[in-house]
């Protein structure tokens, strides 16, 4: 009889332990979920920024002059980011058009670098920065037998 009573007492002494365990584990699970969402957002945004850099470099490489290449690259990058659904807090596009100045018959390249600041502040995760700047570069070859502008 005493064994039955002690088992019954032990079982009732653990009341509330599940609530305490849930109170400890729930915030950790929420933080893990927010970290997974932040990592996913950064990876997805990075691949979309890569695509924007590729589009911008290709648009710049088919231009005949440096200023036209700059304009084409900026327009292509903005259009690509908009089409991909990326909303950057800040965007910058830098274009190296030195490959457009090489003589006909020689291979030239145009390099475009796209920088985009992706916001993370809406995740409400303690310790994460409010935003992160992602950068991608792409180089496109200029047709060596194409006429170039002056």
């Amino acid at each position: 009889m005493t064994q039955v009573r002690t088992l019954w007492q032990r079982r009732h002494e653990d009341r509330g332990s599940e609530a305490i365990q849930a109170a400890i584990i729930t915030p950790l699970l929420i933080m893990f979920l927010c970290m997974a969402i932040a990592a996913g957002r950064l990876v997805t945004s990075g691949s979309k920024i890569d695509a924007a850099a590729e589009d911008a470099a290709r648009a710049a490489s088919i231009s005949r002059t440096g200023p036209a290449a700059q304009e084409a690259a900026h327009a292509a990058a903005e259009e690509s980011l908009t089409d991909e659904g990326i909303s950057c807090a800040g965007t910058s596009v830098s274009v190296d058009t030195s490959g457009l100045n090489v003589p006909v018959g020689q291979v030239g390249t145009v390099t475009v670098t796209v920088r985009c600041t992706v916001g993370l502040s809406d995740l409400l995760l303690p310790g994460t920065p409010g935003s992160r700047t992602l950068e991608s570069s792409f180089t496109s070859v200029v047709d060596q037998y194409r006429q170039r502008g002056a």
Side-chain angles (χ1 to χ4, degrees):
M1 184 73 137
T2 58
Q3 287 180 335
V4 172
R5 183 173 284 158
T6 56
L7 288 174
W8 185 79
Q9 287 174 345
R10 282 187 190 165
R11 195 173 83 184
H12 290 293
E13 288 174 1
D14 289 341
R15 282 189 204 168
S17 65
E18 290 86 10
I20 292 172
Q21 289 173 358
I24 292 171
I25 292 176
T26 301
L28 295 174
L29 289 175
I30 291 171
M31 284 180 49
F32 178 74
L33 179 66
C34 289
M35 287 174 49
I37 291 171
R41 184 179 293 177
L42 290 174
V43 168
T44 303
S45 297
S47 66
K48 292 177 180 180
I49 293 167
D50 288 343
E54 290 175 24
D55 292 344
R58 182 65 191 137
S61 71
I62 60 176
S63 299
R64 297 203 185 275
T65 64
Q70 295 274 348
E71 186 178 320
H74 284 277
E78 290 295 327
E79 181 180 352
S80 181
L81 290 173
T82 302
D83 289 347
E84 294 287 342
I86 297 287
S87 58
C88 299
T91 306
S92 70
V93 179
S94 61
V95 185
D96 175 14
T97 60
S98 60
L100 294 175
N101 298 328
V102 299
V104 174
Q106 293 182 5
V107 176
T109 59
V110 174
T111 302
V112 175
T113 302
V114 177
R115 287 179 195 82
C116 174
T117 303
V118 179
L120 299 172
S121 60
D122 59 335
L123 295 178
L124 302 174
L125 182 63
T128 58
S131 62
R132 178 104 190 245
T133 302
L134 302 176
E135 178 179 318
S136 181
S137 294
F138 192 77
T139 301
S140 185
V141 177
V142 177
D143 183 11
Q144 65 181 347
Y145 296 110
R146 182 189 58 138
Q147 180 183 3
R148 284 149 172 94

